[in-house]
Amino acid sequence: MRKWLVLLAICMGISSVSTAAPAKDPRVLLFSHSTGYRHESIEPGAATIQALGTREKLTIVHSEDPNVFSADGLKDYDAIIFLSTSTDPKKPESEWFQGPRRDALQAFVHRGGGIVGIHAASDSHYGWGWYQQMIGAHFAKHPPGTPEGTLTVTDKRHRANKGVPPTMRRVDEWYYFDDYDPRSTLLMTLDPQSIGEKDVNPNPVSWTREFEGGRVFYTAMGHTRETYSDPNFLNHLAGGLAWVLKRK
């Protein structure tokens, strides 16, 4: 085949032929370290996300070592998934993003790296305002248990909602947030009355945002083990990851 291309090039008066190397699959760091409440869904979630990576032609590397957050540790990654990476708001020492690790994450975002936050990624690093700004909100509270609620897609055209029904009923632990940034693109909301709450205002569940050079997708879903066998959730997650990676 190579010889044929060379002969063709000679006939067409082209001095040389270059063959482009095949594009590599994007590399994604799946990070699930937690020093606050440890979710039982982390292990099955990590396994499912790694399988999702195979489906979506992504190379996903799972780690729970905070030392990966260094200039060298992040240099080969295109996106980071924070899977329920909680810290303890009553214990500042539980926050692993300190010093050079903060610098590494900020540099990653500033060079255009993608960020995906799942569930308790918003219940993390209360002592670092930049982190809250990146995610777009901080966890404040949740009603007891994991009631079944009604979700509504608010942006049907967004990549993260491809293959997701316009409304659906789901069981999860439903977060309320402090300081939700309204400049985010809201993707999905919860009807609080559907879970027995008095509030009539739709509660943010998933959103995206452009932040300091990078892209961020966050979803509050993901508390239960069953979430990671829900095809609607997995399509939502895959679409959000595709968006932060700037894939079509």
Side-chain angles (χ1 to χ4, degrees), residues 145-167:
T146 54
E148 185 178 60
T150 300
L151 297 177
T152 299
V153 167
T154 55
D155 187 340
K156 297 178 182 179
R157 296 183 178 182
H158 198 282
R159 178 67 180 83
N161 286 328
K162 183 179 180 180
V164 178
T167 61

Side-chain angles (χ1 to χ4, degrees), residues 106-118:
Q106 288 178 315
F108 176 82
V109 171
H110 294 164
R111 70 170 168 82
I115 299 292
V116 171
I118 300 175

Side-chain angles (χ1 to χ4, degrees), residues 86-97:
S86 62
T87 60
D88 189 335
K90 297 180 180 179
K91 296 180 179 179
E93 66 274 15
S94 71
E95 298 186 4
W96 62 84
F97 276 128

Side-chain angles (χ1 to χ4, degrees), residues 141-151 168-176 189-199 201 203 205:
K141 63 178 182 178
H142 64 77
T146 54
E148 185 178 60
T150 300
L151 297 177
M168 56 183 166
R169 298 277 295 175
R170 287 201 73 257
V171 170
D172 216 311
E173 181 180 69
W174 302 111
Y175 277 8
Y176 282 73
T189 60
L190 168 75
D191 175 5
Q193 293 188 320
S194 70
I195 60 170
E197 294 291 293
K198 295 180 180 179
D199 187 10
N201 298 310
N203 193 34
V205 171

